[in-house]
């Protein structure tokens, strides 16, 4: 934790245990078992800010949670296996590795949908609003590297690709027996045309767009509307599911 502990709010939970290898003259196996503890820290000025917002609208804060954990609860739950979750937001991209239902690694970079829209706006000489609509249209084909739009957004997409590859390498070195099986995308930017197919080709792993509605009941008459906005609701749904689990 790169700051004084007085400046952060801490949360933790036991996520597993492991058996230390015994050595000659050392402890017996039954005495050397250790717990694995996940620790999460958030700057107090962040928790104070959200607490103040809640109080101003007369809401009682029951819990605060880092976005990665809520997104993992929505899209992965207790599914067995090892997955990388990529949440492509407006201002940043969050990367989360989840193994057997437990968050193992999280990272984020300050590259998101806004940066992609800015690249299109600057390169094509159009305003940001028009660039944002273009980004979500069929005119963007990431599988065609020679296309004008693909070339303009290649630097931003490239940084996301590089971070995914770096995180996969780091995790595989630490946990060689738990290979990442699938990459799941969410967030508003994940709806970009050909994005999932592009990353599957670049990373060499199965990729899919996550379905935040898979674990909740949705009336058929509401499904067309919810399906369109669901990627932006991933974190909110994850927080709601947490509330149900605690009742």
């Amino acid at each position: 934790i790169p700051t004084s502990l007085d400046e952060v709010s801490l949360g933790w939970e036991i996520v597993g245990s492991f058996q230390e290898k015994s050595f000659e003259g050392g402890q017996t196996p039954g005495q050397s078992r250790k717990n694995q503890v996940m620790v999460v820290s958030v700057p107090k000025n962040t928790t104070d800010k959200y607490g103040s917002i809640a109080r101003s609208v007369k809401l009682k804060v029951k819990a605060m949670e880092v976005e990665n954990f809520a997104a993992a609860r929505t899209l992965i739950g207790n599914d067995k296996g090892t997955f990388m979750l990529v949440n492509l937001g407006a201002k940043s991209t969050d990367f989360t590795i989840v193994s057997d239902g437990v968050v193992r690694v999280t990272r984020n970079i300050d590259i998101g949908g806004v940066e992609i829209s800015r690249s299109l706006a600057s390169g094509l000489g159009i305003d940001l609003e028009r660039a944002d609509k273009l980004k979500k249209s069929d005119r963007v084909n990431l599988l065609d590297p020679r296309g004008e739009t693909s070339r303009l957004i290649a630097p931003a997409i490239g940084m996301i690709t590089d971070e995914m590859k770096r995180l996969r390498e780091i995790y595989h070195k630490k946990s060689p027996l738990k290979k990442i099986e699938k990459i799941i995308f969410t967030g508003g930017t994940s709806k970009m045309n050909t994005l999932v197919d592009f990353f599957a080709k670049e990373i060499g792993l199965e990729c899919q767009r996550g379905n935040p509605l898979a674990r909740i009941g949705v009336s058929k008459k509401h499904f067309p509307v919810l399906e369109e906005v669901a990627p932006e609701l991933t974190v909110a749904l994850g927080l709601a599911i947490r509330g149900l689990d605690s009742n």
Side-chain angles (χ1 to χ4, degrees):
I1 299 174
T3 61
S4 168
L5 293 183
D6 293 334
E7 298 175 2
V8 298
S9 296
L10 290 175
W12 63 274
E13 66 176 291
I14 296 173
V15 296
S17 62
F18 64 96
Q19 186 73 52
E20 281 196 324
K21 292 182 179 179
S22 59
F23 55 92
E24 188 175 352
Q27 296 174 309
T28 62
Q31 295 173 317
S32 59
R33 193 161 192 84
K34 293 192 174 181
N35 286 325
Q36 293 175 308
V37 180
M38 175 175 62
V39 179
V40 180
S41 71
V42 178
K44 282 186 177 179
N45 57 7
T46 299
T47 57
D48 290 345
K49 179 181 74 173
Y50 286 110
S52 176
I53 292 171
R55 288 191 297 272
S56 70
V57 293
K58 295 181 171 56
L59 289 175
K60 181 180 179 181
V61 177
K62 187 171 184 180
M64 290 190 183
E65 186 170 55
V66 178
E67 288 187 4
N68 308 60
F69 294 85
R73 185 181 299 110
T74 308
L75 298 175
I76 299 173
N78 295 318
D79 292 354
K80 295 297 181 183
T82 303
F83 311 92
M84 181 186 294
L85 176 60
V86 181
N87 188 353
L88 295 157
K91 295 183 179 180
S92 65
T93 299
D94 295 330
F95 307 87
T96 310
I97 294 180
V98 182
S99 184
D100 295 334
V102 177
V103 172
R104 303 291 181 179
V105 181
T106 65
R107 295 173 73 91
N108 65 78
I109 58 174
D110 294 330
I111 298 292
V114 171
E115 188 66 29
I116 294 172
S117 296
R118 284 175 179 162
S119 299
L120 291 171
S122 176
L124 298 174
I126 58 179
D127 61 46
L128 196 59
E129 182 178 355
R130 186 177 172 190
D132 192 58
K133 291 180 180 178
L134 173 63
K135 176 185 68 179
K136 300 173 183 176
S137 74
D138 292 341
R139 285 184 57 189
V140 175
N141 181 3
L142 294 172
L143 297 175
D144 178 14
R146 293 175 297 180
E148 184 178 21
T149 55
S150 295
R151 287 189 289 103
L152 290 173
I153 65 179
I157 294 293
M159 283 188 276
I160 295 172
T161 304
D162 290 345
E163 192 62 30
M164 292 167 64
K165 291 179 178 178
R166 185 180 302 112
L167 185 56
R168 179 180 64 174
E169 183 179 348
I170 291 171
Y171 183 74
H172 284 173
K173 284 182 178 179
K174 292 177 62 178
S175 307
L177 299 180
K178 290 184 176 291
K179 299 292 186 182
I180 295 171
E181 304 163 24
K182 185 188 298 183
I183 301 176
I184 302 172
F185 294 87
T186 191
T189 306
S190 71
K191 295 188 291 186
M192 280 183 62
N193 181 46
T194 69
L195 181 139
V196 172
D197 292 335
F198 170 81
F199 280 117
K201 180 180 177 182
E202 288 293 308
I203 306 298
L205 286 174
E206 179 184 351
C207 295
Q208 70 177 52
R209 186 176 293 111
N211 179 12
L213 304 176
R215 288 175 168 79
I216 63 174
V218 178
S219 172
K220 288 184 178 180
K221 66 180 180 180
H222 299 310
F223 197 82
V225 175
L226 285 175
E227 189 176 35
E228 176 64 24
V229 299
E232 289 97 329
L233 300 177
T234 298
V235 172
L237 290 171
L239 291 170
I241 293 172
R242 169 184 171 136
L244 292 174
D245 290 342
S246 63
N247 289 333

